[in-house]
């Protein structure tokens, strides 16, 4: 049974929970923070509106990173009732997928995955990219063994890369689907 519900007024796409706050991206409209401290009466704390598709987001250190066409939206949620937003531009990025670990953001790209140093969200820098030349990376996953799995939608294949050297990614194998 439903314990409580709230209406964000948007088409919610992805959610993540951080302590007593649920963060929700809206597929085409923006981002919201929801107060979960009283589950019998959840409520919207704050919302930001911006246009453009948001398919995925990940969080680290009080910031949500949303991949967008040609960049990232960075939303600080350290005060969930007062969300703030910033931008990072990089024309290699697409709006598909993001994976964050140890202040590194792996973001899907039109030409292949891009890895960013996000340790300071105000000064994001590119550490490397994997220019596939022949297809993009629409979905990416990172394994514990330091391998990146990229879904190459253009060529209907899954490709596996060694991540031990950001400046010189090496493809280990691939399989056509």
């Amino acid at each position: 049974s439903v314990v409580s519900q709230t209406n964000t007024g948007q088409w919610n796409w992805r959610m993540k929970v951080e302590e007593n706050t649920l963060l929700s991206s809206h597929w085409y409209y923006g981002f919201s923070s929801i107060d979960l401290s009283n589950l019998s009466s959840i409520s919207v704390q704050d919302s930001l509106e911006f246009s453009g598709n948001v398919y995925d987001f990940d969080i680290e250190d009080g910031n949500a990173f949303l991949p967008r066409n040609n960049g990232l939206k960075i939303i600080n949620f350290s005060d969930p009732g007062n969300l703030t937003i910033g931008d990072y531009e990089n024309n290699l990025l697409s709006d598909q997928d993001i994976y964050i670990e140890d202040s590194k953001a792996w973001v899907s790209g039109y030409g292949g995955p891009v890895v960013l140093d996000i340790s300071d969200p105000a000064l994001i820098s590119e550490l490397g990219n994997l220019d596939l030349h022949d297809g993009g990376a629409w979905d990416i996953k990172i394994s514990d063994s330091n391998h990146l799995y990229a879904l190459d939608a253009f060529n209907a294949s899954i490709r596996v890369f060694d991540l031990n050297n950001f400046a010189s990614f090496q493809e280990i194998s691939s399989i056509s689907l």
Side-chain angles (χ1 to χ4, degrees), residues 147-150 158-162 170-175:
H147 294 100
L148 180 138
Y149 302 88
I158 294 176
R159 299 170 79 169
V160 182
F161 299 90
D162 182 357
Q170 293 186 345
E171 185 168 0
I172 297 170
S173 66
S174 68
I175 186 169

Side-chain angles (χ1 to χ4, degrees), residues 101 142-149 160-164 172:
E101 185 176 303
I142 310 292
S143 72
D144 292 338
S145 58
N146 215 24
H147 294 100
L148 180 138
Y149 302 88
V160 182
F161 299 90
D162 182 357
L163 299 181
N164 289 307
I172 297 170

